[in-house]
Amino acid sequence: MTQPQALPNHVGIIMDGNGRWATARGLSRNRGHQKGAEVFGQIVRHAQKRGIPYLTVYAFSTENWNRPPEEVGGIMNLLRSYLRDADKYRKENVAVSVIGDKSRLDVDLVEMIAKLEEGSRHNTGIHLNIGLSYGGRDELVHAARQIAAMAQAGSISPQEVDHSLVERCLYTAGQPDVDLIIRTGGEQRVSNFLLWQGAYAEFYFTPTLWPDFTPADFDAALEEYSRRERRMGGILP
Ligand code: FPP
């Protein structure tokens, strides 16, 4: 008899391998990101169908600013076209947040993001966080600055700094910790993704390049997660 599967509350995805996928086909790296963006849309829809409440994807890291300007511009344009279609989120009932250092983004993108976050926040389906100019260390520095300012203003004492206060100062304030982090593209490292929120995350690494990642691959990660949970809970004999 099949056991009911424990679904993660929050899944994180490091979408790696777009460049290699494109190079292997003699295409530009930006074509790889384009295909990656299509796959991203399919996976969000699929995760929603599976009943995952929170999904965080790593679209662009603080370190990715060091890539050639045409590649950075290409990824930003993909994000622009993805974020522009606000109607889509209403229809699909997706609540969107963009997490990261928005001060480095172009003004039009920042405005588009603010509109989208505001317009979609009452949607009751999956909550999608898009990591854009995101770095876990940056996020912790950002939180530390807010806490230092509160202490300086005299509104808290050092003894009042605890886990819950730090959590409230993160980009993901009010959201559950990430339970499962999927990384495609064969590398097995965390690369500055959700450092605080992933303290107890299970990792699922796959050599599949992100543009080749399918809903069935996502299901395989959920299946593996449910097995690990059951072992940890001592349910299996
Ligand atoms: C990593 O592959 C991927 C990125 C740095 C960009 C991810 C972007 C997308 C999937 C498209 C835009 C996203 C949205 C949300 C519309 P890589 O370039 O490091 O690949 P490589 O390791 O093969 O070089």
Side-chain angles (χ1 to χ4, degrees), residues 16-104:
D16 202 4
N18 295 343
R20 278 166 285 163
W21 181 90
T23 306
R25 286 164 180 73
L27 302 170
S28 69
R29 292 179 58 84
N30 279 344
R31 286 283 293 123
H33 295 314
Q34 208 176 339
K35 175 76 174 140
E38 286 167 30
V39 168
F40 157 77
Q42 287 159 12
I43 295 298
V44 174
R45 226 164 291 128
H46 182 69
Q48 159 125 292
K49 214 161 67 196
R50 291 299 313 265
I52 304 294
Y54 292 87
L55 177 69
T56 301
V57 296
Y58 210 0
F60 192 86
S61 72
T62 45
E63 292 71 30
N64 287 154
W65 287 112
N66 300 325
R67 295 195 177 195
E70 59 278 12
E71 184 168 347
V72 171
I75 296 175
M76 292 299 158
N77 281 338
L78 281 172
L79 281 153
R80 261 190 195 87
S81 59
Y82 185 79
L83 298 172
R84 191 171 288 135
D85 190 4
D87 246 18
K88 173 177 64 194
Y89 304 99
R90 219 180 357 263
K91 273 190 228 123
E92 297 189 7
N93 202 16
V94 177
V96 185
S97 301
V98 171
I99 61 169
D101 178 6
K102 292 177 188 151
S103 71
R104 299 182 71 178

Side-chain angles (χ1 to χ4, degrees), residues 45-235:
R45 226 164 291 128
H46 182 69
Q48 159 125 292
K49 214 161 67 196
R50 291 299 313 265
I52 304 294
Y54 292 87
L55 177 69
T56 301
V57 296
Y58 210 0
F60 192 86
S61 72
T62 45
E63 292 71 30
N64 287 154
W65 287 112
N66 300 325
R67 295 195 177 195
E70 59 278 12
E71 184 168 347
V72 171
I75 296 175
M76 292 299 158
N77 281 338
L78 281 172
L79 281 153
R80 261 190 195 87
S81 59
Y82 185 79
L83 298 172
R84 191 171 288 135
D85 190 4
D87 246 18
K88 173 177 64 194
Y89 304 99
R90 219 180 357 263
K91 273 190 228 123
E92 297 189 7
N93 202 16
V94 177
V96 185
S97 301
V98 171
I99 61 169
D101 178 6
K102 292 177 188 151
S103 71
R104 299 182 71 178
L105 303 176
D106 288 347
V107 178
D108 71 303
L109 197 48
V110 175
E111 282 168 4
M112 199 182 282
I113 289 167
K115 238 174 41 209
L116 178 60
E117 288 180 334
E118 184 47 38
S120 72
R121 57 192 277 239
H122 298 300
N123 291 346
T124 54
I126 196 165
H127 191 120
L128 170 67
N129 298 311
I130 301 178
L132 182 53
S133 190
Y134 175 85
R137 286 184 171 180
D138 242 37
E139 181 178 33
L140 290 170
V141 168
H142 178 255
R145 285 194 183 140
Q146 292 176 68
I147 293 169
M150 288 181 221
Q152 194 177 33
S155 53
I156 54 158
S157 68
Q159 287 70 31
E160 288 173 284
V161 180
D162 58 10
H163 290 191
S164 102
L165 178 62
V166 174
E167 264 157 24
R168 275 179 281 143
C169 294
L170 299 176
Y171 299 131
T172 54
Q175 301 184 18
D177 276 355
V178 64
D179 300 304
L180 167 67
I181 294 179
I182 298 170
R183 181 171 187 149
T184 62
E187 311 289 356
Q188 304 197 353
R189 52 181 172 256
V190 69
S191 297
N192 206 11
F193 185 55
L194 301 179
L195 294 182
W196 176 284
Q197 301 88 335
Y200 293 99
E202 294 289 330
F203 279 83
Y204 180 84
F205 297 111
T206 169
T208 301
L209 303 175
W210 177 251
D212 291 326
F213 193 77
T214 63
D217 294 325
F218 186 84
D219 287 346
L222 294 185
E223 170 66 29
E224 163 81 20
Y225 171 82
S226 76
R227 275 202 302 274
R228 288 193 207 166
E229 284 295 284
R230 288 192 293 193
R231 269 207 301 276
M232 279 168 67
I235 293 169

